[in-house]
Amino acid sequence: VFGVFFLLVGWYGFNPGATGGTGGAKTYVASRSVMNTSMGAIGGGTSAFFYLLCTRCPKSTAIFTPDGLGLGILAGLVAITAGAPWFGNRDSLIIGMLGHLTATQA
């Protein structure tokens, strides 16, 4: 869990930092990158939550595990990294969800 947290914090330094700065017009691009990074992580985590709910609920009493949620968050971050400055918020959420589903099925 701590590893996922540290990677998440690092992603907030990497994605906006890749925009080239925060001065002038680049401020909008950097802030959009931060928002879309958050939406990708939220999409991956939400997808992991519902995936674990649907697949593990009838089978066992331990429905949710931290590693499953961590996988979703990291898969959402990886999926959104390349296009964080260009995607819209809804697109970032969907891409994060698809990233988790792809990582789960791989």
Side-chain angles (χ1 to χ4, degrees):
V1 175
F2 286 119
V4 173
F5 174 73
F6 290 133
L7 283 171
L8 180 64
V9 170
W11 239 280
Y12 284 119
F14 175 73
N15 273 357
T19 61
T22 57
K26 294 179 182 178
T27 303
Y28 174 75
V29 177
S31 61
R32 186 176 177 103
S33 181
V34 168
M35 184 63 192
N36 288 338
T37 300
S38 300
M39 295 302 288
I42 290 168
T46 304
S47 178
F49 175 79
F50 286 114
Y51 180 80
L52 293 172
L53 183 70
C54 293
T55 59
R56 294 189 184 177
C57 187
K59 297 178 183 173
S60 70
T61 57
I63 299 172
F64 305 110
T65 57
D67 60 336
L69 190 61
L71 170 72
I73 292 171
L74 290 178
L77 287 171
V78 169
I80 199 60
T81 296
W86 297 289
F87 295 132
N89 294 340
R90 186 180 323 139
D91 299 332
S92 299
L93 188 70
I94 293 170
I95 288 169
M97 289 179 176
L98 292 175
H100 166 257
L101 294 175
T102 302
T104 303
Q105 299 304 319

